[in-house]
Amino acid sequence: MNAFMIAFGCQQSRSRTLEINGRDLHFLEAGPSGAPALCFLHGGAAHAHWFDAVLPRFVPDYHVLSLDQRGHGRSGWAVPPAYATEDFASDLVTLMDRLGWERMTLVGHSMGGHNAMAFAAWHPQRVRGLVVVDSRPTIPPERLDRMHARGRRGPRLHPTREAAVASFRLLPRETVADPQLLAHLASEGMVRRDGGWSYRFDPASTADRAPVDGWALLSRVTASTLIVSGELSPVLPREMAERLRAAIPGARHVEIPGAYHHLVLDKPDLFNAALGDFLASLD
């Protein structure tokens, strides 16, 4: 990506907040309200701006929404903690009702992909298309244990915003993303809290995360489905991506060359082309 050509999606989006299930949910919204609905879900510890290199490609033809899922970004925290897959899905169906969306195409990366798969299985009549972006249906127990332990350590506080932004790292760390895009994500993902600066998400969203076993749900997905994986991703290697494709009736799989787990950051142009082709096939 040319660093001088980035047009971030948030620059042409409306920032909105609605009270959903007792807490504020924030999202970026763009495009004509009568157009087909297209919703993006970020991964764990991320936020709505993760798709800022993606949204501009689809704004003219779709009613686009990039959501800060509960406990993330500018959305409210769940008190007491409630970060089961069912909680995220409940937010989505309530949000759709509030927006007047009967059906949508749902695009989810990592944690967002897990939530999207479950939502498509539980609410098939509400999903026109499903795009799973480098996400696995379940988290191995040892990895979930590490996630919970990381969340219990709490956020690291930094003395200044600049120090917090400088500390920003992806997880997994491997990436070939444009540094300008990474700096933008870091800046949007920091907040002043408890006398310092920290990442803009609830540590309990990691410490108390309760994902379902999605493999048992996949046969219930009826929406047209695209699986997008990164060639170099340690999260959804090719063999598992093919197993996932086979588990969802009629699903297709596209591998993005040279991309790691955060492929919407690494190779946004290639991802946009794959998503655009998929959306065109739904028309």
Side-chain angles (χ1 to χ4, degrees):
M1 181 189 296
N2 186 329
F4 297 101
M5 297 299 291
I6 295 178
F8 295 130
C10 58
Q11 296 170 343
Q12 51 188 279
S13 303
R14 302 175 292 278
S15 177
R16 291 188 61 190
T17 300
L18 291 174
E19 184 177 330
I20 301 293
N21 293 338
R23 69 191 46 81
D24 287 344
L25 282 192
H26 171 265
F27 51 92
L28 301 172
E29 183 182 28
S33 60
L38 177 62
C39 180
F40 292 92
L41 302 179
H42 59 75
H47 48 76
H49 293 272
W50 230 254
F51 296 96
D52 270 357
V54 174
L55 264 63
R57 163 70 172 76
F58 302 101
V59 166
D61 300 312
Y62 295 89
H63 185 181
V64 180
L65 186 152
S66 186
L67 177 66
D68 278 331
Q69 297 180 85
R70 61 166 58 200
H72 293 77
R74 289 177 169 80
S75 287
W77 295 7
V79 182
Y83 295 107
T85 310
E86 292 87 348
D87 297 315
F88 292 105
S90 176
D91 287 346
L92 272 180
V93 75
T94 305
L95 179 62
M96 288 183 74
D97 290 343
R98 290 288 302 278
L99 293 172
W101 285 6
E102 291 296 325
R103 301 175 75 211
M104 65 178 171
T105 296
L106 193 54
V107 182
H109 173 245
S110 198
M111 180 191 79
H114 172 89
N115 292 341
M117 284 184 271
F119 185 88
W122 289 331
H123 303 281
Q125 73 282 5
R126 307 301 296 269
V127 182
R128 180 170 179 254
L130 171 66
V131 182
V132 179
V133 185
D134 218 78
S135 176
R136 56 177 64 180
T138 192
I139 300 177
E142 64 278 5
R143 183 177 168 214
L144 189 60
D145 289 343
R146 291 195 299 271
M147 179 189 299
H148 289 164
R150 187 169 64 249
R152 286 191 291 270
R153 289 196 296 269
R156 179 183 174 188
L157 292 179
H158 300 271
T160 65
R161 182 185 182 90
E162 291 73 20
V165 168
S167 76
F168 176 77
R169 299 291 186 275
L170 299 176
L171 187 67
R173 290 193 175 195
E174 297 84 7
T175 185
V176 292
D178 189 295
Q180 184 183 352
L181 178 57
L182 293 177
H184 171 68
L185 295 181
S187 180
E188 292 292 342
M190 299 299 168
V191 64
R192 187 170 181 81
R193 183 180 295 125
D194 298 331
W197 290 85
S198 64
Y199 294 144
R200 197 189 290 271
F201 71 94
D202 182 3
S205 67
T206 301
D208 293 276
R209 175 94 180 276
V212 298
D213 179 0
W215 288 111
L217 299 174
L218 297 179
S219 64
R220 295 162 56 181
V221 174
T222 60
S224 296
T225 300
L226 174 68
I227 298 153
V228 188
S229 63
E231 177 192 15
L232 306 174
S233 173
V235 174
L236 191 67
R238 185 176 300 161
E239 180 179 351
M240 184 179 292
E242 281 300 308
R243 180 186 168 200
L244 178 57
R245 180 198 59 77
I248 300 176
R252 288 168 272 174
H253 173 219
V254 171
E255 184 178 87
I256 303 298
Y260 291 91
H261 174 58
H262 300 277
L263 60 89
V264 299
L265 311 179
D266 285 354
K267 303 287 183 178
D269 291 343
L270 294 180
F271 174 75
N272 289 348
L275 178 56
D277 288 345
F278 174 73
L279 293 174
S281 75
L282 301 180
D283 294 336

